Structures are given as C-alpha cells and as structure tokens.
Amino acid sequence: MDVRGSVCLVTGASSGIGAATARALSLRGARVLAAGSDRGRTEAVAAGAGGTALVADLEQEGAALKLAAAAQAVHGRVDVLVNNAGVGWAGEFAAMPETEIARLVQVDLTAALLLTRALLPGMAERGRGHVVSVGSIAGHAGGRGEAVYAACKAALAAFTESLRQEHARSPVGFSVVIPGPVATPFFDRRGVPYARAFPRPVPAERVAAAIVHAIRRDRPQVVVPGWLDGPMRLRGALPELYRPLVDRFG
Ligand SMILES: NC(=O)c1ccc[n+]([C@@H]2O[C@H](COP(=O)([O-])OP(=O)(O)OC[C@H]3O[C@@H](n4cnc5c(N)ncnc54)[C@H](OP(=O)(O)O)[C@@H]3O)[C@@H](O)[C@H]2O)c1
C-alpha cells in the first residue's frame, strides 16, 4: 500500500530500528505515531519525524490496548502497525528467571498480538491497512542462550503467516521482517554484547528500508541482509545438513 498520508503506529520507535522506521515512513509522507516507553527519547523521535509521541510501557497489563486506543484517537484511525518493540535476554534457559520469561513474552509477543487484535478490525472495515512484525533470524535458526527470545520471534512469523491466510481475500497486508544482527542498543540493553565476528551488524536504516518496502509491496517476508535467507532455506530443505553446521559453527 502507499504509505503517503497513511497513519502509521511504530512501537519501539524511541530507539534503533523503530526510530529509523519512524524517520523512513515520515520521509515517504506518512503520519507517524511513535510509541516508546522512554518519554524523552520517544518525544525526540516523534518531533524529528513530524509525528506524535505515545508513551507506553508494554510490559504492563492493559498497556497495549490503551496504546491502541490512544493511537486511534490521534487521527481517528491507524492504517499501518509496525510491531517492533522488543527486548532480549541472553543466558542458559534453565537459569532464566520466571519474571524475565514473562517480560519477554509480554513485550516481544503478547503486546504485538493485542495491538494487532485491536487495530485490525478498523483496517479491514476501511479496506486498507498493513501490519508488519519485526522478527529475528533467531526465530528461524534458533540461538544458544536465546531460547525464549527465539520462541517469541518464531511465533511472530507464524502469526503473520496465519493472518495472511485468514485475510487472503482482504486488502489488508501482513509482513514479517527478519533481521540478522543490527547495530542498535539492543545488545547493550540485554547486558550481553554481540560477540560474533560474522555476520556483521547492519545499520538500523537498512531494516527500516525493508519495513517500508514490505508495506509498499505487500511482501510476506523480508530477510535483512538478504543472504541470511540461504541458511533459513537450508534448515527447511536439508535439516540433516544444516544441523551439523550449526553444532560446529552456530
Ligand atoms: N538489534 C538486533 O540485532 C536485532 C536483530 C533482530 C531483531 N531485532 C528486533 O528489532 C526490534 C527493535 O530492536 P532494536 O534493535 O532497535 O533495539 P533497541 O534499540 O533496544 O530498541 C528496542 C525498542 O523497544 C522498545 N521497548 C522495549 N521494552 C519496551 C516496553 N516495555 N514497552 C515499550 N517499548 C519497549 C524500546 O523502547 P524504550 O527505549 O522507550 O524503552 C525501544 O524503542 C526488536 O523487536 C528486536 O527484537 C533486533
């Protein structure tokens, strides 16, 4: 769909990929609703994108529905939802505190489901809309020390695919954008830096461009960088070849 003039709610817009997406959508003529939990950074990004800041802590019960209502109140509708807010946690699953499991599932998955549930009926009724969820390569390849994060991201991909099937005859589109490592504060915030020499983190702007592309071209799935699609396909087509490679290099 054409993003010009459309009302776009971007969660996690106060930092990294979300901030870059807010700017990219604004440059394409969208009316941006920038959501984040940090008021100062959210307002700064919203001002830079000529949009509106919406402050919400998506970890809190009821916050996603309140955010959806607040977003709809600004211009009377939301045409595009970018489910981007997310947090990581790194370490052995058996040592992961229950509170951290609940936090990841709430912010990375449940908030996206609830926001989509709240905003989708309006999009379907108006016959115009798009929902993009930001997944992760971890959701397809798995990741040592990232079991819950990977599970949430895999769920977002399955959610997107299921909604595409449910809305196959509707003009509302659904995409999942699947980044590999991206140069944002994400790793510092989870407390464990990105340590691999390869693949190298890509700039957030590259993922933002993929998100805008997914909306404009109604792409079911976009992988960033594109070559990471190769290992994902190998896992699906030849798991017996993929698994020893992951055990050795993963
Ligand atoms: N960086 C990577 O390598 C990478 C790779 C694959 C996928 N991703 C995904 O990309 C998305 C964006 O991450 P990023 O790399 O841009 O990281 P980031 O710079 O840390 O940004 C994360 C965003 O999520 C928001 N957020 C976190 N907890 C929240 C909460 N409780 N309530 C509301 N908002 C909350 C943050 O808002 P505040 O700052 O205002 O709290 C921030 O805007 C995430 O879903 C992440 O899983 C990242």
Side-chain angles (χ1 to χ4, degrees), residues 27-53:
L27 283 173
R28 289 245 172 214
R31 292 196 268 177
V32 173
L33 306 176
S37 75
D38 181 282
R39 180 173 293 281
R41 283 189 283 108
T42 306
E43 286 179 349
V45 172
T52 304

Side-chain angles (χ1 to χ4, degrees), residues 12-17 36-38 41 56-59 84-87 107 134-136 149 153 179-182 184-187 189:
S14 53
S15 179
I17 294 168
S37 75
D38 181 282
R41 283 189 283 108
D57 179 357
L58 292 172
E59 195 185 334
N84 166 74
V87 286
V107 176
V134 177
S136 166
Y149 177 73
K153 293 303 186 178
V182 188
T184 71
F186 177 85
F187 299 103
R189 293 176 80 165

